[in-house]
Amino acid sequence: MTPFEIQLPKRTILGRCKARPSVESLTGAYTRPLFVHGANSNRVSWLLDIFKDPISIACAGEPDINALEAALQKARDDRIDAVIAIGGGSVLDLGKAVAGLAATSKALSNYLEVVGEGNPIDAEPLPFIAIPTTSGTGAEATRNAVIGVPEHCRKVSIRDPRMLAELVILDPSLTDDCPWKITLASGLDAITQLIEPYVSSRANAFTDAIVREALEPALAAIRTLAKREDTDARDAMAFASYMSGVALSHAGLGAVHGLAGVIGGMNGAPHGEVCATLLAPTLTVNHRAIQRVGGPSTRFDEMEGLLTQHFTDQTGEDGFQKLGNWVKEVGVRDITDMGVRSGEFAVIAEMSASSSSMKANPVQLSTDDLVEILSA
């Protein structure tokens, strides 16, 4: 058996309508928590009203270095003792980074992977409480925070096991009636984060069990939500999102996220939608590449069969193509429609080769392979 080590959030509460009572139980635990939420604070007024004179900041989009610097300054000035983040993956990433770095004194470059030194955090992080309101990134379950670095046109991670959440409140009711565009992009991000660890070079018995439990219900759920609002489907996607975070933390990702990090850093294209459009062609190119070098393709064969089973009504020669055709049919744009120019494909491919996500790809892909994915 491949050796592995398990690192999980300290405590996770999963269940419909668990958010309010779980948050109310925190009122005596922290004296000066910082609340990180999305652009519209009205959506979380129920939570802020639980606390007296709450300290809060808004995260209006995918966080970058400038947003993180400003949030850290506020956290230090207000002498916060915990961070409670409620929102989508961007909100959770910003909150997690603030909790992780609030007590540090060195420049951010000391902790940034790829473009910085990538060092572990050198001060004890503050407690971090994660309350996701979308089902996608799995950020509530991971030990890293993704931060944009405009100077380098990259999105990179700050990573440390101590950044794992003190508490995750996983209440699927908070995702009910989430707009379809967000549901689709975030849901396909979660599905990607289940598939990539399963075919990863670092896959192990623990992550295999997680993926097998969560992936098939997620595939059924995202198709249901494409047609109608459904409580059971929302529950399945919330579970899949959390488990995708656990899976990627323990087995890594692959070329989809390696490319997506560069694309998002270069032009701000939405991460979930980029992953959604890259998933099918990346599976196709990876499958062919692993066969080319004589590697085992059993997991790709298994994944192709599973996708064929769930997308039987779609055109396409195999399950990967069927998935790709469905993704386009339900509204995911091609990357060129997101502002990526074909003349940038080679540069994106070269830059993605050094990303942390690419290290776990099941086979080394050439620049030509990566350009083929982008072109498709």
Side-chain angles (χ1 to χ4, degrees):
M1 180 180 290
T2 303
F4 60 86
E5 177 181 347
I6 300 173
Q7 296 176 328
L8 298 170
K10 186 174 181 180
R11 183 184 177 205
T12 299
I13 299 172
L14 188 155
R16 283 195 157 261
C17 303
K18 291 289 188 180
R20 178 178 286 277
S22 299
V23 171
E24 288 173 345
S25 71
L26 299 175
T27 54
Y30 309 111
T31 57
R32 296 183 65 80
L34 172 69
F35 293 90
V36 182
H37 54 75
N40 185 357
S41 62
N42 292 330
R43 294 178 179 173
V44 295
S45 59
W46 65 270
L47 182 149
L48 298 176
D49 290 346
I50 294 172
F51 291 80
K52 183 179 180 181
D53 301 323
I55 305 165
S56 67
I57 58 172
C59 177
E62 295 184 3
D64 62 14
I65 285 294
N66 296 326
L68 176 55
E69 290 276 18
L72 283 170
Q73 189 61 54
K74 181 170 181 59
R76 291 162 180 161
D77 289 346
D78 289 327
R79 298 184 179 183
I80 65 164
D81 61 354
V83 176
I84 301 175
I86 177 168
S90 296
V91 173
L92 300 185
D93 273 339
L94 180 59
K96 193 189 310 180
V98 172
L101 298 176
T104 62
S105 57
K106 295 180 181 178
L108 285 180
S109 60
N110 186 66
Y111 312 105
L112 295 172
E113 294 182 346
V114 183
V115 300
E117 297 173 42
N119 291 322
I121 294 170
D122 49 12
E124 191 63 28
L126 298 176
F128 172 61
I129 294 88
I131 311 173
T133 61
T134 63
S135 297
T137 69
E140 64 271 15
T142 62
R143 54 181 178 262
N144 69 296
V146 179
I147 303 296
V149 187
E151 179 185 357
H152 293 276
C153 298
R154 299 293 289 268
K155 290 198 297 185
V156 300
S157 282
I158 300 166
R159 192 184 312 270
D160 192 291
R162 292 170 297 169
M163 290 172 66
L164 284 162
E166 181 80 10
L167 172 64
V168 177
I169 302 171
L170 197 61
D171 183 345
S173 71
L174 299 179
T175 72
D176 288 348
D177 298 310
C178 181
W180 169 239
K181 184 176 180 181
I182 297 172
T183 296
L184 176 64
S186 59
L188 285 170
D189 188 18
I191 286 168
T192 302
Q193 291 172 175
L194 290 168
I195 292 175
E196 287 203 295
Y198 190 70
V199 300
S200 160
S201 60
R202 300 176 186 169
N204 56 67
F206 175 63
T207 55
D208 285 353
I210 288 171
V211 171
R212 288 174 179 143
E213 184 70 21
L215 178 57
E216 194 158 2
L219 290 170
I222 197 70
R223 298 212 66 188
T224 295
L225 291 168
K227 301 171 185 175
R228 63 182 186 277
E229 184 64 24
D230 185 272
T231 299
D232 291 340
R234 291 290 182 188
D235 292 356
M237 289 310 303
F239 179 74
S241 175
Y242 180 84
M243 288 304 176
S244 79
V246 175
L248 73 88
S249 293
H250 293 84
L253 289 164
V256 174
H257 280 80
L259 291 165
V262 175
I263 292 170
M266 287 180 66
N267 76 348
H271 174 77
E273 192 174 17
V274 174
C275 289
T277 198
L278 291 177
L279 177 56
T282 301
L283 287 169
T284 296
V285 171
N286 261 333
H287 192 194
R288 189 178 64 241
I290 206 166
Q291 290 174 321
R292 184 174 65 220
V293 299
S297 62
T298 304
R299 287 175 181 252
F300 282 93
D301 296 336
E302 181 182 343
M303 198 57 59
E304 189 277 322
L306 180 63
L307 293 172
T308 296
Q309 175 186 335
H310 278 272
F311 295 93
T312 54
D313 56 335
Q314 294 298 312
T315 59
E317 294 180 4
D318 57 29
F320 303 150
Q321 289 185 6
K322 289 177 183 293
L323 168 66
N325 290 337
W326 180 83
V327 163
K328 293 181 180 181
E329 181 182 294
V330 293
V332 174
R333 297 173 293 172
D334 288 332
I335 55 171
T336 50
D337 294 326
M338 301 181 210
V340 181
R341 298 187 298 271
S342 58
E344 298 172 318
F345 288 177
V347 173
I348 293 170
E350 291 170 5
M351 290 177 67
S352 70
S354 62
S355 70
S356 57
S357 294
M358 198 68 78
K359 295 176 182 178
N361 200 63
V363 62
Q364 185 172 354
L365 297 179
S366 67
T367 299
D368 288 343
D369 289 329
L370 296 172
V371 169
E372 180 181 348
I373 292 169
L374 296 169
S375 299

